Amino acid sequence: MKFYVNARYLIVPTMSIIAILGILIGGAYAWVGVALFGLNTVIDTLTKDIHLPADFDDQGESYGTKAFQYGVMYFMLPVFIALQIALAYRIFQFTAATPLQVDLFYGIAYQSGISGINLIGAVLSSGLWAGLGIIYGHELSHNKKEGFLVSRLIMALSGASHFTYAHVYNHHLDLGHEDDPATAPRGRNIYAHAWLSHMGQSLFSYNLEEGRLNKQGKSTLNVDNRWILGYLYSLPSLVLFVWAGGLIGVAALFVVWVIANFLLEALNFMGHYGLIRTQGAVEHRHSWDNDSVFTSWFFIEIGRQCDHHVRGETYFWELDDVEGPNYGIGYFSLFVITLIPALFRRYVEKHLVNWDKNYATEDELAVAAKFS
Amino acid sequence: MNTFKALILMVLWTTILGSGLYFVGAHKNYQDILWASGIGLTLLITHIVNMVIYFKVAGDKPYKWF
């Protein structure tokens, strides 16, 4: 049981490494990361009706092993660095017009050089898996020790180091309220939300640091400014891609960052769309659960938002079903729906009606009425 | 409207920095690691300034529901 509970969360590490190998092997394999994303969407849709509770032994102790799970999460930092290096290597070959030919590396065939179309595949694969990897940045943001720094570094690979502070000190405290840019109000589409949520969370971190430094009598423009420091953590990525491909390298990194941040904001969008909190503590009803089996295992239980937002310090493998609002489908399936705003509005309408009827307070209903 | 103004200013600022990099020959020297470091830092500063431009011009737009 212990092995099963711990091993089931290895889907993303395994697939991330496969995506990296695909880029390194080259040719059509550069698209493997994209193909895996498509495959995951199919699996998630086919298994949407399977919902499993968290696993505990007779004494109520979780089977999850902290040392192992943290080891995996820390291991993901070098994995995501390797993903960027693999892409940069291919960009370097493309800009250097390296001839397309099959070579051998310890008996394994790989394509030296890369075509334009396969480079697009490598960029998309990198963006998707950098974005999916953000789940580790999220989980570690709740760690008050070295995990917080690892979270900042993982997020910096996608130019979003500000997330770590904003997530803990803004999103978790102001959830369901206008003060939380990561909570999408009713009627907003995922594209507008991705922009506003990203900028809003960075603004929060900027204001946080400005206030802190001004209290100390220091200027905002300061190396002690953790908002600026967060962006500086992204400098190695920028230098790598500039060096590897000049303008093409910068364009590729830009695409990777846009995709990664879009996926991050899609998770925020799906987790809280349309839910309202006017006062009092955050409750289970202020989040949407997405706990179908594949989503739970793939996204290391990030879909158990209802429990996570009430017990933010709880390890992901201990999060459970708390019978909060639930879309009933997984993140991959829901993500596809959100990409078509008109379809998403139609889909979510019945869920919001249910929330208004069975979960909302009078005050929350009054706010909801303003959206009508 | 403020968001639009902010975007215009961000594009303008990015264009100025991009042109500057072009005129100093960044596109010819980027494979020199020192040049790459300088270009990378310039791009990062461009990004940071773009964020501040947005904050100052668009204000608390990300925090507005209505």
Side-chain angles (χ1 to χ4, degrees), chain A residues 57-354:
Chain A
D57 63 19
D58 295 340
Q59 278 75 47
E61 295 292 320
S62 169
Y63 290 107
T65 306
K66 184 183 171 187
F68 176 75
Q69 295 300 344
Y70 265 75
V72 171
M73 288 195 284
Y74 291 166
F75 172 68
M76 291 310 286
L77 175 60
V79 168
F80 294 130
I81 291 171
L83 180 64
Q84 290 206 339
I85 291 173
L87 178 61
Y89 160 70
R90 284 303 183 183
I91 290 168
F92 178 81
Q93 287 194 323
F94 181 77
T95 52
T98 304
L100 296 177
Q101 61 186 45
V102 176
D103 287 333
L104 290 176
F105 179 78
Y106 289 102
I108 299 169
Y110 73 99
Q111 190 177 68
S112 184
I114 190 166
S115 66
I117 191 76
N118 289 333
L119 184 63
I120 291 172
V123 171
L124 295 178
S125 291
S126 299
L128 288 170
W129 287 91
L132 293 170
I134 274 172
I135 56 176
Y136 298 100
H138 163 263
E139 185 65 25
L140 290 170
S141 73
H142 291 282
N143 182 284
K144 288 188 167 57
K145 296 177 184 169
E146 68 284 350
F148 195 82
L149 175 63
V150 177
S151 165
R152 295 257 287 160
L153 296 175
I154 287 177
M155 301 308 294
L157 290 168
S158 297
S161 193
H162 61 265
F163 165 87
T164 308
Y165 281 101
H167 180 76
V168 178
Y169 299 109
N170 186 193
H171 179 54
H172 268 259
L173 298 182
D174 298 318
L175 181 73
H177 193 274
E178 210 170 5
D179 289 344
D180 173 30
T183 297
R186 298 179 186 194
R188 185 187 283 176
N189 67 58
I190 193 172
Y191 304 101
H193 182 70
W195 170 261
L196 290 169
S197 182
H198 178 86
M199 300 307 277
Q201 288 174 78
S202 190
L203 173 59
F204 174 86
S205 297
Y206 175 85
N207 287 337
L208 188 73
E209 286 303 283
E210 188 176 50
R212 186 180 68 86
L213 291 167
N214 289 351
K215 259 188 202 169
Q216 296 174 3
K218 293 179 182 173
S219 160
T220 309
L221 193 63
N222 193 308
V223 285
D224 287 342
N225 185 325
R226 291 175 294 201
W227 178 78
I228 293 175
L229 196 59
Y231 283 109
L232 284 173
Y233 289 155
S234 301
L235 185 58
S237 293
L238 265 167
V239 172
L240 174 68
F241 280 81
V242 166
W243 176 78
L247 191 57
I248 292 174
V250 173
L253 185 63
F254 178 74
V255 172
V256 167
W257 281 12
V258 167
I259 294 173
N261 281 284
F262 185 76
L263 291 181
L264 166 66
E265 298 310 339
L267 288 174
N268 279 327
F269 184 82
M270 293 186 288
H272 307 287
Y273 175 85
L275 301 185
I276 298 156
R277 183 176 65 93
T278 50
Q279 56 192 348
V282 172
E283 296 179 31
H284 293 143
R285 62 197 173 84
H286 295 120
S287 304
W288 296 107
D289 259 353
N290 288 70
D291 64 345
S292 59
V293 66
F294 188 73
T295 285
S296 287
W297 294 357
F298 187 95
F299 289 98
I300 56 170
E301 309 289 0
I302 203 173
R304 294 201 193 273
Q305 286 281 297
C306 299
D307 197 7
H308 170 65
H309 272 278
V310 171
R311 302 191 297 153
E313 308 293 316
T314 305
Y315 301 127
F316 69 81
W317 55 90
E318 295 178 355
L319 296 174
D320 211 346
D321 180 17
V322 290
E323 299 186 352
N326 197 319
Y327 283 119
I329 61 174
Y331 274 150
F332 279 102
S333 317
L334 187 60
F335 175 66
V336 172
I337 295 173
T338 62
L339 292 176
I340 308 163
L343 183 63
F344 176 72
R345 276 195 294 275
R346 230 175 110 182
Y347 172 80
V348 83
E349 195 178 340
K350 62 179 182 292
H351 293 287
L352 286 176
V353 167
N354 180 55

Side-chain angles (χ1 to χ4, degrees), chain A residues 92 170 176-179 181 183 185 188 195-196 199-200 202-204 206 227 231-232 235 238-239 242-243 245-246 250 370-371, chain B residues 3 7 10 30-33 35-37 39-41 43-44 47-48 50-52 54-56 59-66:
Chain A
F92 178 81
N170 186 193
H177 193 274
E178 210 170 5
D179 289 344
T183 297
R188 185 187 283 176
W195 170 261
L196 290 169
M199 300 307 277
S202 190
L203 173 59
F204 174 86
Y206 175 85
W227 178 78
Y231 283 109
L232 284 173
L235 185 58
L238 265 167
V239 172
V242 166
W243 176 78
V250 173
K370 292 184 191 173
F371 289 105
Chain B
T3 299
L7 289 173
M10 290 160 79
Y30 65 84
Q31 285 191 325
D32 179 315
I33 192 65
W35 271 86
S37 301
I39 296 165
L41 187 60
L43 291 173
L44 192 68
H47 181 50
I48 291 171
N50 270 331
M51 299 299 281
V52 175
Y54 181 84
F55 300 159
K56 299 296 179 192
D60 56 359
K61 170 74 178 165
Y63 288 87
K64 293 290 178 196
W65 278 5
F66 303 102

